[in-house]
Amino acid sequence: MPNLLTRLLGGRSVTPEAKSGHMLMAIRDLGAPDWTRRSFPALAQEGVMRNPVVHRCVRLIAEGAARVPLVAREAGKRLEEHPLPALLRRPNPHQSGSELLEAVYAYLQTAGNAYLHAAVADGEVKGLFGLRPDRMQAVVGRDGYAEAYAYTAGGRTQTLRQDTRPVPGVLHMSLFHPLDDHYGLAPLEAAQTSLDLHNAASRWNKALLDNSARPSGALVYSAGSGSLTPQQFERLKTELETAFQGAANAGRPMVLEGGLDWKALGISPRDMDFIEAKHVAAREIALAFGVPPMLLGIPGDATYANMAEANKALWRQTIVPLVRRVADDLSFWLEPAFAGVTLEADFDGIEVLSEDQASRWERIGGAGFLSDEEKRELLGVGG
């Protein structure tokens, strides 16, 4: 049966020579890293769709934030029966209000941008529709601000103007980006390096298992078995690179004879401790999203005393600021169409924040210098 060496020699066997030969060792240098392209579709596929840590971070934030109701207020009083809260409860025929807001929060985490389109009829806002960030492009005017947005879908591009009444046609919500005037920076993009490390470690371990869990090494051609011609030398290197290089060929076994010998070289996956490397990358991903690693089941993280404290940290440091930001953007956008009625996030029904809300009520209730009406106004319960 022809093997690697006989194929390189054109089917001829190697005859030992009396003269001294030389030794060939194939050692692969580290190549340039292959990073995920910085585009929303690429990051979404590698992150949300293929990485469990990113997927869980996005779900924790988006689902938690969507639980917070946005209430309408006028002159400090909460409005229950009003067109604005009705619009938020049923923004369009295809989505509920919580489903639409969940998509907004998820897009902000994965793309850094979220877009809502207002459907206006007879001078009134009749519906709100979410638009995919990767299909949107800002049309910048002379003043440097977006005067319209081009939305491309199904091979067609539609221009959504911003000079419409009573509200601009598109609400563009974006997270802070230090180097871009129009588009936001997503936590997923900031976590790209750790994301690639985590995915690469998973692919390496999978390929290692597929190849009998054997580590890589070097192929040595002994001088005592003769010497190779330059053509044979190049063919051997090409054969090694083609058949045994890369994560897809990790640990691939070889059949050796005729002077070839296998020497285990380099650092094995056990020595490099890929499991711990994955945990470090997972913690860095969680850090970028603002999610305590304890909530993701990552071992070795004892920053918080228990799960309850970690959950409070998630809400206080990540979800609450995000919801307030979205509520402010929605309120600023829709206020001209609803006669000065504003939107505000209502955290009173969130169990995780109940201690914070109880402490706030106690502080305001114990303020003797405030009247009952002033206390009710501060607590948002109206007159």
Side-chain angles (χ1 to χ4, degrees):
M1 177 182 295
N3 55 41
L4 175 61
L5 183 59
T6 56
R7 290 199 304 271
L8 292 173
L9 300 178
R12 297 181 290 106
S13 61
V14 179
T15 302
E17 299 182 7
K19 62 180 181 180
S20 62
H22 59 272
M23 180 177 292
L24 169 68
M25 297 183 66
I27 304 177
R28 180 163 60 93
D29 296 331
L30 290 177
D34 183 17
W35 301 115
T36 300
R37 292 179 293 110
R38 287 184 178 270
S39 65
F40 171 66
L43 287 174
Q45 288 181 359
E46 289 296 319
V48 182
M49 299 173 64
R50 296 179 181 175
N51 188 279
V53 178
V54 173
H55 184 272
R56 188 55 184 154
C57 285
V58 174
R59 300 306 304 172
L60 275 175
I61 296 173
E63 292 176 353
R67 290 175 49 201
V68 181
L70 302 181
V71 299
R73 294 190 181 277
E74 185 178 22
K77 296 182 179 180
R78 180 168 177 169
L79 303 176
E80 297 294 345
E81 299 298 329
H82 191 271
L84 181 53
L87 176 66
L88 293 179
R89 285 192 297 268
R90 188 64 173 173
N92 60 68
H94 310 289
Q95 291 177 304
S96 64
S98 59
E99 185 179 358
L100 179 65
L101 288 177
E102 182 179 330
V104 168
Y105 296 127
Y107 278 137
L108 286 174
Q109 300 304 305
T110 55
N113 305 276
Y115 301 87
L116 291 179
H117 172 54
V120 178
D122 300 328
E124 297 181 355
V125 179
K126 298 296 186 178
L128 302 176
F129 295 84
L131 304 176
R132 271 178 45 177
D134 57 316
R135 295 176 175 175
M136 297 290 289
Q137 184 174 2
V139 180
V140 182
R142 294 182 178 180
D143 58 357
Y145 293 93
E147 63 180 14
Y149 288 89
Y151 185 71
T152 303
R156 301 175 56 186
T157 299
Q158 181 181 2
T159 300
L160 306 175
R161 302 289 305 177
Q162 290 295 86
D163 55 1
T164 57
R165 295 292 181 269
V167 298
V170 174
L171 170 62
H172 178 194
M173 293 169 280
S174 62
L175 301 181
F176 173 72
H177 195 309
L179 300 178
D180 200 305
D181 296 330
H182 305 290
Y183 303 103
L185 177 66
L188 179 57
E189 188 173 354
Q192 177 194 3
T193 301
S194 300
L195 168 64
D196 286 343
L197 290 174
H198 196 274
N199 286 348
S202 298
R203 287 193 292 267
W204 176 277
N205 290 335
K206 176 62 167 60
L208 195 64
L209 292 174
D210 290 342
N211 289 284
S212 303
R214 293 190 178 96
S216 59
L219 187 64
V220 180
Y221 182 68
S222 175
S225 300
S227 60
L228 295 176
T229 65
Q231 293 80 7
Q232 294 168 350
F233 182 85
E234 292 300 326
R235 289 182 63 187
L236 179 57
K237 289 202 304 182
T238 302
E239 186 89 11
L240 289 172
E241 292 175 355
T242 303
F244 302 100
Q245 178 174 301
N249 295 315
R252 183 177 179 180
M254 291 186 294
V255 179
L256 305 176
E257 59 180 80
L260 288 175
D261 189 20
W262 175 258
K263 300 292 184 182
L265 296 176
I267 304 175
S268 69
R270 180 181 179 88
D271 295 332
M272 292 187 68
D273 199 357
F274 277 107
I275 299 300
E276 181 58 28
K278 286 187 65 177
H279 292 335
V280 172
R283 282 191 284 268
E284 291 178 347
I285 294 173
L287 175 65
F289 281 94
V291 176
M294 180 180 291
L295 298 179
L296 303 174
I298 301 173
D301 188 272
T303 305
Y304 304 95
N306 50 51
M307 293 289 290
E309 290 299 323
N311 203 20
K312 290 179 183 178
L314 170 65
W315 276 87
R316 291 169 178 169
Q317 300 176 13
T318 302
I319 297 181
V320 170
L322 178 64
V323 173
R324 285 177 174 167
R325 165 74 181 277
V326 171
D328 289 343
D329 288 344
L330 282 170
S331 182
F332 180 79
W333 181 45
L334 295 174
E335 187 176 1
F338 293 94
V341 177
T342 60
L343 289 173
E344 183 179 308
D346 183 13
F347 297 100
D348 289 341
I350 305 301
E351 301 86 353
V352 179
L353 303 175
S354 58
E355 293 183 5
D356 296 344
Q357 299 300 324
S359 176
R360 178 168 172 264
W361 278 64
E362 184 179 355
R363 290 197 309 270
I364 295 177
F369 56 89
L370 295 175
S371 65
D372 291 341
E373 183 178 353
E374 291 173 330
K375 292 178 181 179
R376 285 193 294 267
E377 182 177 354
L378 288 174
L379 294 174
V381 297

